[in-house]
Each structure stands twice: as structure tokens, then as C-alpha cells.
Amino acid sequence: MRTRFDEQLRQLNVELIRMGSLCEEAISIAAKVLEGEKNISNERVFAIEGEIDQLEHDIESLCMRMLLQQQPVASDLRVISAALKMISDMERIGDQASDIAELARFIRKGSSQHSHLNQMATDVVKMISESVDAFIHLDIDRARQVIAYDDVVDQWFDKIKSELVTQIATNKEGSEELLDVFMVAKYLERIGDHA
């Protein structure tokens, strides 16, 4: 019976890694769309978001089977509970990457008005990767590093927000686009929180 449970735990880890990778890919593609990179479409982000949603459902079903069939105790129960929380956060990350791709339609590509967004996106992708690895390897120190790194993402958000306030004050005509840039930064900041 324990062998079956261990196999399900391994499957859970594989699926979590897959879901985390899809989140990273969605954010990376959304950032490239913002930069105006050729041969990159925001439609791919929307497709990945659908895959993330499906994985959330699949992993949730696996966790429920593990809970009902195996009746785990103590540490195993904590792992399953944490996985259920993680997939909820990763599903939100997918939604927010999709929101960024949607907003990218209204933001001029390669504009200096969003020069820091690419670095912010790189940082949140790193946080997602590290948080999934920390969970899989039960590495508390790495998890703490991810939590601490959220301060870096928050600093990027504060810097972008400050720059946008100045730009909106001096460029009333472009304020709508600047608000879209602000929303992208806010979504990236929230992704860091989820990580």
C-alpha cells in the first residue's frame, strides 16, 4: 500500500514541476510579447493558461484520490495540503500571465516606458522555479530565500510605480498606456507574492 502512495507522491511532484514550468513559460512569453519580439504571440500564453487550468484539475483529483484511498497522516498529509495550495497559486499565476498578454496588445512594443518589466518578469520566473524546487526537495532554506527575494520584486514594482507617476504627470496623452504598464507591473508583483 505504501508503495502505491510513494508512486502517487512521485507523480504529484512531476505534475507540480510541469505546472511550474508552464507558469514560467507563460510569463516569459508574455514578457517577450511586451518587448515586441517577432514570432512570439500572446495566443500562446492563452493556450498555456488553459493547460495550467487543466493541470490544476488533474493534480487536485490526484490529491483527492491520495487523501481518500491512502488516508495519509502527519507529514504526508502536509505535503498533499501544501500541493493543493500550490496549484491554486500557480493557477492564479497562469491567469495573471494571461492578463499581461492581454494588456500587451495595448502597449507600444519596445517602449522605454516598460524597460524594467522584463527584469521584473525574469525575477518572478526565478522565484517560481525556486519555490517549486524547494517544495520538491523539501528545502526550507531555499523556500526562505524565495520569500526574501519577494522584496526584490516589490522594489521593482515601487520603482516602476514611481517612474510611471512622474511620466503620467508630464504626459497626459499617454496616460492610458502608462496605466496598462502599471497593471502589468502589478500583475508581476502579485505573481511574486504567489511564488
Side-chain angles (χ1 to χ4, degrees), residues 3-15:
T3 304
R4 172 74 178 136
F5 186 73
D6 288 340
E7 178 55 40
Q8 288 176 320
L9 282 175
R10 278 190 290 281
Q11 181 184 356
L12 176 62
N13 285 344
V14 167
E15 295 300 312

Side-chain angles (χ1 to χ4, degrees), residues 18-29:
R18 187 168 157 229
M19 193 173 184
S21 294
L22 286 171
C23 289
E24 293 169 31
E25 183 180 359
I27 296 164
S28 296
I29 291 172

Side-chain angles (χ1 to χ4, degrees), residues 124-138:
V124 296
V125 165
K126 176 183 174 182
M127 288 178 70
I128 293 166
S129 177
E130 291 293 313
S131 64
V132 172
D133 284 350
F135 178 80
I136 299 300
H137 296 102
L138 304 175

Side-chain angles (χ1 to χ4, degrees), residues 12 57-69 72 79-81 83-84 87:
L12 176 62
H57 175 74
D58 294 347
I59 294 169
E60 189 175 76
S61 294
L62 173 62
C63 288
M64 290 302 135
R65 280 195 313 273
M66 292 169 72
L67 288 170
L68 295 172
Q69 295 171 353
V79 167
I80 294 169
S81 298
L84 287 168
I87 62 172

Side-chain angles (χ1 to χ4, degrees), residues 52-107:
I52 290 169
D53 289 347
Q54 183 60 51
L55 267 174
E56 179 192 28
H57 175 74
D58 294 347
I59 294 169
E60 189 175 76
S61 294
L62 173 62
C63 288
M64 290 302 135
R65 280 195 313 273
M66 292 169 72
L67 288 170
L68 295 172
Q69 295 171 353
Q70 306 295 337
Q71 299 174 349
V73 294
S75 64
D76 293 330
L77 185 58
R78 284 190 295 273
V79 167
I80 294 169
S81 298
L84 287 168
K85 175 64 175 133
M86 282 179 63
I87 62 172
S88 174
D89 285 334
M90 286 194 280
E91 189 276 332
R92 288 297 303 139
I93 289 170
D95 289 346
Q96 289 161 343
S98 180
D99 291 339
I100 291 168
E102 181 67 32
L103 286 170
R105 295 176 178 180
F106 308 106
I107 298 173

Side-chain angles (χ1 to χ4, degrees), residues 127 141-155:
M127 288 178 70
D141 291 332
R142 187 182 272 181
R144 287 185 180 124
Q145 289 170 359
V146 172
I147 292 167
Y149 203 78
D150 187 49
D151 291 343
V152 172
V153 172
D154 290 344
Q155 288 170 1

